[in-house]
Amino acid sequence: AARWGRPPRARWRIGIVAPLLGLVAVPLAACGSSPSGSAAPPVDACSLLTAGEAAAAYGGGHVAAHGSTSLQASSCYYQGFPAGEVLLTSVTWDGQQVTTYRTAHGLPVGPSTRSTRSTATTTTVPATTVAVGGATAFWVPPQPSTGPGSVPSMSQLSATKKGYVVGVESDGLDQAQAAQLLEAMLGRL
């Protein structure tokens, strides 16, 4: 038996995806910012999207939601799809992370309508801009695995609203399906 073979699909995805906080971690990983206060109150990510809505996006089936909340962020992992797809939603209200997200995507920061970003410190996020429920959202399609033992990335769709960054990550949704879920989440803020 090969020692380094790929583990069963559901098991390796749960082991990798469950601990993630979702989309917020991707553009912020290199920023090194520390947590800061926020004017937005905490929100449970599982309260922004029902298990029924998640199941409907994948064409039905039974779905169970498992949430995780910290002082500054919350995520919800949906499992139980018929074909083993993965869906992870996230929301953060950490003021520094919201500012960093907005800066990385070239959105206005603070009370002014102008962006205060500096080109020397701006992180480029390879995303397509799309409109979702009146908000500017950013779509990043999945990238293929790059070598033996690597895990293909999931698609990502994220937006900011009312002092929150909200995101959807999946390995089986197209942009329109992810937008439907993100719109439902943004509507509950």
Side-chain angles (χ1 to χ4, degrees):
R3 182 176 166 196
W4 300 104
R6 185 178 222 171
R9 182 176 183 168
R11 194 166 140 204
W12 71 266
R13 291 200 187 251
I14 291 170
I16 291 171
V17 175
L20 297 176
L21 286 177
L23 294 171
V24 176
V26 174
L28 302 177
C31 295
S33 60
S34 60
S36 65
S38 172
V43 171
D44 177 10
C46 291
S47 72
L48 298 178
L49 186 69
T50 68
E53 289 168 323
Y58 280 101
H62 174 72
V63 174
H66 305 282
S68 172
T69 302
S70 70
L71 293 176
Q72 301 292 326
S74 177
S75 62
C76 194
Y77 174 72
Y78 297 85
Q79 66 181 23
F81 301 109
E85 291 92 351
V86 173
L87 176 64
L88 179 69
T89 62
S90 63
V91 60
T92 185
W93 49 92
D94 177 273
Q96 182 61 46
Q97 290 187 7
V98 172
T99 298
T100 302
Y101 176 89
R102 294 184 67 78
T103 300
H105 288 89
L107 297 172
V109 178
S112 73
T113 57
R114 292 183 354 199
S115 174
T116 59
R117 67 184 177 140
S118 162
T119 56
T121 60
T122 300
T123 303
T124 302
V125 178
T128 302
T129 304
V130 295
V132 176
T136 300
F138 300 92
W139 168 256
V140 179
Q143 302 300 310
S145 56
T146 57
S150 65
V151 178
S153 68
M154 298 193 301
S155 63
Q156 304 172 0
L157 184 64
S158 61
T160 181
K161 181 179 178 182
K162 295 183 180 179
Y164 298 93
V165 175
V166 182
V168 175
E169 289 185 63
S170 75
D171 69 344
L173 296 178
D174 62 26
Q175 181 180 328
Q177 292 166 315
Q180 179 183 356
L181 297 180
L182 185 63
E183 184 172 2
M185 294 173 67
L186 292 171
R188 291 188 175 107
L189 287 176

